[in-house]
Amino acid sequence: MTDKNFRLPTEAEWEFAARGGKKSRGYKYSGSNTIDDVAWYAKNSGDKTHPVKTKQANELGIYDMSGNINEWCSDWYGEYSRDKQTNPTGSKKGKFRIFRGGGFNYYPKFCRSSRRNYGAPNDGYCYDGFRLALSK
């Protein structure tokens, strides 16, 4: 429809964007240290998703990277390498894929920008979704 190619972001790309990129202020959640400012989660969601842009954006102007819905990443779940890396791509194979951000039915600790969650790609829960990255 757009003549452009899209893909799931890597886990590293997702976290960089959630943390505010080079404009990061070091918040715990994407855009704030106060979860209610930026996320729909177990305490305030009414156990349902909410329209995008109804909470505050992060430093890059991106909405809903904490809470509301889990976002799949392209990486397979695996332990982090102990080696220093720039923009790692994660495990090449596995049983579970990474998703980030937490969902409307998650507690705050699962909605932190740093939190790694994982699941089987074919689970298809109502709180799993995705955000696309533009391919080069």
Side-chain angles (χ1 to χ4, degrees):
M1 293 177 69
T2 65
D3 292 326
K4 296 182 180 179
N5 294 314
F6 297 91
R7 60 179 172 76
L8 290 175
T10 66
E11 182 180 12
E13 290 170 331
W14 190 97
E15 187 170 339
F16 184 75
R19 289 181 177 272
K22 292 181 180 179
K23 298 178 179 182
S24 178
R25 295 186 190 132
Y27 295 130
K28 183 187 297 189
Y29 306 103
S30 185
S32 179
N33 283 326
T34 305
I35 192 168
D36 286 296
D37 292 346
V38 294
W40 295 107
Y41 67 106
K43 184 179 174 185
N44 69 359
S45 71
D47 204 31
K48 63 182 180 179
T49 59
H50 290 266
V52 175
K53 296 173 73 171
T54 54
K55 293 286 185 176
Q56 163 182 311
N58 74 1
E59 298 92 323
L60 296 175
I62 303 172
Y63 294 86
D64 294 302
M65 292 196 80
S66 290
N68 211 17
I69 197 154
N70 289 311
E71 296 182 8
W72 289 107
C73 295
S74 63
D75 304 54
W76 289 100
Y77 175 76
E79 297 299 319
Y80 283 144
S81 170
R82 295 184 190 270
D83 301 327
K84 185 175 179 177
Q85 299 181 45
T86 301
N87 199 18
T89 56
S91 297
K92 302 295 182 208
K93 59 183 177 176
K95 183 176 179 181
F96 300 107
R97 285 217 185 256
I98 295 291
F99 56 84
R100 301 293 291 262
F104 65 85
N105 57 345
Y106 279 53
Y107 294 107
K109 71 178 183 178
F110 297 107
C111 298
R112 295 186 331 259
S113 297
S114 61
R115 178 66 187 209
R116 299 180 84 204
N117 299 302
Y118 61 91
N122 59 354
D123 284 346
Y125 293 112
C126 63
Y127 44 81
D128 294 339
F130 58 91
R131 182 182 304 261
L132 296 175
L134 184 61
S135 292
K136 293 180 182 179

